[in-house]
Amino acid sequence: MEVRITTIRSKTLVGKRLVMSLDNNRTVELWQSFMPFKKIIRNKTSNEVISLQDYKGSFNLQNFNSSTEFEKWAAVEVSNTMGIPENFEIFHLAGGSYAVFKHIGDASTFPNTLDHIFRVWLPNSIYTLDNRPHFEVLGDNYKKNDPNSEEEVWIPIKEI
């Protein structure tokens, strides 16, 4: 699996969030509350949507399990926050270094991608996880429930 290391500037996101865990996965509920209103968000920087996981600085591979709670966001990047729709929130994503991977496949194969990132790539790299949000970018090649769907997986990193 190819990886691209990149550094991003801070970003302003607008979207919706829910607290969940893998055991209490509310992803479908989150996206169903977000997607019908995506088109009314003003000042979007692109058509891409962002699925973001905020572990509040507590993501630790050794302690993470299926009941670990995190905040999940469905969002878009905006150039400014004027005219935010009612019931939408702002998230300020700090800049920094990320390892970017391409996931190809539907949601059922996503755990395989994560397993490769965290059990193969990361331990054999010169990086460790940084305490910033993890996110996925769903662009034009993202197709829900399609085996040929593509999305980018962004993992926050810092050199060891």
Side-chain angles (χ1 to χ4, degrees):
M1 179 175 290
E2 292 182 31
V3 62
R4 177 176 93 241
I5 306 300
T6 189
T7 301
I8 62 168
R9 60 172 177 74
S10 62
K11 298 176 181 284
T12 301
L13 308 178
V14 169
K16 292 195 169 200
R17 65 183 163 134
L18 287 175
V19 173
M20 63 182 76
S21 67
L22 297 178
D23 287 339
N24 181 28
N25 190 337
R26 301 172 66 195
T27 300
V28 171
E29 176 187 350
L30 175 64
W31 284 98
Q32 286 176 342
S33 73
F34 173 78
M35 287 306 286
F37 304 99
K38 178 189 128 189
K39 63 183 167 279
I40 65 172
I41 299 172
R42 293 154 93 195
N43 308 310
K44 290 187 286 287
T45 62
S46 74
N47 287 326
E48 297 173 334
V49 292
I50 296 173
S51 176
L52 181 140
Q53 296 74 232
D54 188 2
Y55 300 98
K56 303 293 185 187
S58 64
F59 187 83
N60 179 316
L61 288 172
Q62 288 73 33
N63 298 332
F64 185 83
N65 60 57
S66 61
S67 64
T68 303
E69 289 192 333
F70 55 92
E71 238 178 39
K72 187 163 194 162
W73 285 75
V76 294
E77 183 180 358
V78 296
S79 57
N80 69 64
T81 58
M82 292 174 37
I84 295 173
E86 189 175 326
N87 298 322
F88 277 62
E89 299 180 74
I90 299 167
F91 185 90
H92 295 287
L93 178 64
S97 294
Y98 280 86
V100 184
F101 301 85
K102 186 185 291 188
H103 169 72
I104 300 174
D106 64 19
S108 70
T109 63
F110 195 74
N112 298 337
T113 297
L114 293 180
D115 189 62
H116 175 80
I117 292 168
F118 293 117
R119 297 193 193 284
V120 178
W121 182 82
L122 189 62
N124 292 298
S125 75
I126 61 167
Y127 302 99
T128 186
L129 287 176
D130 198 0
N131 287 325
R132 290 179 286 117
H134 302 218
F135 62 94
E136 295 80 47
V137 175
L138 291 66
D140 291 337
N141 292 327
Y142 176 79
K143 312 273 189 281
K144 184 178 174 186
N145 298 325
D146 186 321
N148 298 311
S149 181
E150 294 181 17
E151 63 188 275
E152 289 185 338
V153 181
W154 292 64
I155 306 298
I157 56 170
K158 59 185 176 183
E159 285 194 37
I160 296 174

